[in-house]
Amino acid sequence: MNLAYGYSLTYVYDSSIATLNKYYQIVEDSSFIFDTSYILYLSNNQYRKVLITSNKPFSNLEKNQELYFHVDDVVTFFVKLNKKFIYYKLHKKGSVKLLKYWLIHTFLPILFTIEDKYYFIHAGSVEIDNKPVLFIANSYGGKSTLTDFFIKKNHTMISDDKVATYIKDNKIFCIPSYPYHRPYRKVEDLGIKVENFGKDNKPISKIYNLVKSDSSAKIEIYEIKGIDKFKALRHATDIDLFVNKESRFNMLSFIANNIKVYNITLPWDLNRLNEVYKSIILHCKK
Amino acid sequence: MDLNTKIKIPQSVFIQEIDDETVILDTKTQEYFSINEVGKNIWDMISKTSSLQKILDELVNIYEVPKEQLKNDMINFLEALNQKGLIIIND
């Protein structure tokens, strides 16, 4: 049994799973018919054509509404919203490895977003002094390189890429995503297994927005507020689908109002990564 | 646009306060905007009434600015919102 975003996943029938609160039974089923009545567009960078479709409109989601996630030539997933079963069928280029990749890396975050269970932030996340810290940045802005550096320094990894968040007791919690790390962002690959992986959901301590800078730049950390903070977080929204718009805007605003966000200079020089690391550690201790 | 124009906020537009700033998000275009305190006051009034005359009367009670100037500033602000699709003019 695997764990992803706090949910147990089982690919073979196991009756004991029904005793768990959060689980999905993943079932191969070639009999379902891919319904394309309503289409939700998603941009992706995995060099595959993907399609999210449903039998009903996405503007007014309902329980039991059918949801399909189709990856051309590889796999089609089918679920009924808020149910515990995920059905799939593999296509000509499909494999177990690709099934797991698309399920864990892309389909589950989409499903949780559509079901409004979690808000996903595109970030690397590690624990510093047992408190989760997030790193956000523009594309190719150094997130995974910095996350990788912290992992090598034996910090517990929360997420390599997508951080699932939710509100509890007026705090924003993050959930350990899945125990894999992709330092080189190989396409359609979950990456390397990480042993030191988060075990519990914890409140997010702070967020660092990496500001890619000249290799000789002085490392500075300063808090950002208001529209600048909103912009940085909005840019870091991972699953940006046209669903649950109001609740997702409210969640983003709640995050902005309850977590401190800091810009940190990231000199574009791998030899200075240790300096960045030390600056963050020192800043967290203050 | 004049004081007889009726306006309303579309259902796709949402507002939130972040720190001391106000952010408006248009979920149709995914564009977001920041407005100042006066803009926020006008926005709150739009959400209660579609009458520009009533909004102007309220503004006159809040700000020590000549009515004509307030009217021009308010109309300019609302026309900017209208151009961005953040309000709808009711015919």
Side-chain angles (χ1 to χ4, degrees):
Chain A
M1 207 182 297
N2 297 289
L3 199 65
Y5 313 104
Y7 279 74
S8 299
L9 309 178
T10 176
Y11 297 87
V12 286
Y13 182 71
D14 176 359
S15 59
S16 69
I17 199 168
T19 60
L20 301 172
N21 186 26
K22 292 179 170 181
Y23 72 90
Y24 282 109
Q25 171 82 53
I26 319 296
V27 181
E28 183 164 22
D29 179 0
S30 55
S31 67
F32 67 81
I33 295 162
F34 176 34
D35 189 330
T36 57
S37 303
Y38 295 88
I39 298 174
L40 194 62
Y41 292 97
L42 172 79
S43 60
N44 79 103
N45 59 357
Q46 303 294 331
Y47 310 107
R48 297 267 186 206
K49 190 179 162 197
V50 299
L51 212 53
I52 304 169
T53 69
S54 180
N55 61 333
K56 290 181 181 173
F58 286 95
S59 52
N60 188 22
L61 295 163
E62 297 172 12
K63 276 188 179 176
N64 281 327
Q65 180 166 340
E66 294 174 7
L67 177 73
Y68 300 85
F69 179 66
H70 175 76
V71 185
D72 242 11
D73 295 336
V74 178
V75 63
T76 305
F77 295 101
F78 161 56
V79 292
K80 286 187 176 178
L81 294 183
N82 305 100
K83 295 287 180 186
K84 309 268 191 187
F85 285 85
I86 297 175
Y87 301 95
Y88 72 90
K89 56 181 161 192
L90 292 176
H91 305 304
K92 58 187 177 189
K93 291 183 184 166
S95 66
V96 172
K97 191 181 164 212
L98 286 177
L99 163 75
K100 288 186 178 176
Y101 170 81
W102 282 102
L103 174 70
I104 294 172
H105 184 267
T106 310
F107 179 60
L108 281 177
I110 288 170
L111 179 61
F112 292 139
T113 300
I114 288 175
E115 290 184 343
D116 221 3
K117 284 188 171 126
Y118 300 140
Y119 187 92
F120 280 86
I121 301 176
H122 188 203
S125 178
V126 294
E127 288 186 5
I128 298 175
D129 293 331
N130 295 315
K131 294 176 186 166
V133 165
L134 270 57
F135 304 125
I136 60 174
N138 290 331
S139 296
Y140 303 102
K143 278 188 307 286
S144 57
T145 306
L146 189 62
T147 306
D148 186 46
F149 197 86
F150 272 82
I151 291 168
K152 283 178 177 154
K153 293 275 185 186
N154 211 27
H155 288 263
T156 300
M157 188 184 92
I158 303 292
S159 178
D160 169 56
D161 184 58
K162 291 173 168 57
V163 182
T165 67
Y166 64 98
I167 300 171
K168 186 185 165 193
D169 300 332
N170 253 5
K171 289 177 185 159
I172 299 125
F173 279 71
C174 64
I175 303 154
S177 55
Y178 49 88
Y180 286 88
H181 170 50
R182 291 191 304 156
Y184 303 110
R185 290 286 182 265
K186 194 176 159 195
V187 172
E188 291 185 316
D189 184 28
L190 282 177
I192 306 157
K193 182 116 197 236
V194 173
E195 296 303 329
N196 187 4
F197 179 60
K199 290 178 182 63
D200 306 306
N201 302 350
K202 292 180 180 177
I204 297 169
S205 164
K206 45 177 76 80
I207 298 175
Y208 290 100
N209 182 41
L210 313 182
V211 182
K212 192 172 168 179
S213 306
D214 186 77
S215 60
S216 60
K218 187 183 169 202
I219 298 168
E220 289 177 310
I221 301 178
Y222 54 94
E223 190 177 355
I224 52 171
K225 292 192 168 187
I227 189 78
D228 291 335
K229 187 202 279 190
F230 180 82
K231 263 187 205 171
L233 291 170
R234 178 87 183 81
H235 191 78
T237 295
D238 193 77
I239 306 290
D240 202 10
L241 296 172
F242 270 51
V243 292
N244 307 319
K245 295 170 195 170
E246 187 173 12
S247 69
R248 292 176 62 232
F249 178 47
N250 292 344
M251 178 66 181
L252 183 62
S253 306
F254 190 85
I255 292 171
N257 279 318
N258 289 278
I259 299 179
K260 289 193 172 183
V261 179
Y262 300 90
N263 270 358
I264 175 166
T265 317
L266 185 72
W268 211 240
D269 179 355
L270 287 175
N271 293 322
R272 297 192 63 198
L273 216 46
N274 197 42
E275 269 181 79
V276 177
Y277 170 80
K278 283 181 176 169
S279 302
I280 291 172
I281 296 291
L282 193 66
H283 186 255
C284 284
K285 288 193 188 302
K286 274 181 190 169
Chain B
M1 189 180 286
D2 58 35
L3 292 180
N4 295 318
T5 308
K6 301 285 180 202
I7 54 170
K8 69 172 185 179
I9 300 166
Q11 286 186 337
S12 57
V13 173
F14 304 108
I15 187 166
Q16 280 283 349
E17 282 182 53
I18 292 167
D19 299 325
D20 294 328
E21 292 181 41
T22 303
V23 176
I24 300 173
L25 176 73
D26 181 354
T27 57
K28 252 188 188 166
T29 60
Q30 296 295 306
E31 281 188 280
Y32 46 86
F33 307 88
S34 171
I35 54 173
N36 63 17
E37 193 191 323
V38 184
K40 170 71 168 52
N41 278 341
I42 295 175
W43 188 274
D44 288 343
M45 292 170 198
I46 303 169
S47 58
K48 288 178 198 145
T49 177
S50 61
S51 161
L52 298 196
Q53 183 62 61
K54 280 185 185 168
I55 293 173
L56 181 61
D57 292 343
E58 272 201 62
L59 290 171
V60 168
N61 288 332
I62 299 172
Y63 299 103
E64 289 179 359
V65 177
K67 192 172 182 177
E68 196 55 29
Q69 190 187 331
L70 260 181
K71 181 189 152 195
N72 290 339
D73 289 350
M74 178 188 82
I75 298 280
N76 286 341
F77 175 67
L78 293 174
E79 279 179 345
L81 291 181
N82 185 41
Q83 258 187 356
K84 299 279 183 194
L86 300 174
I87 55 169
I88 298 170
I89 293 178
N90 282 349
D91 292 328

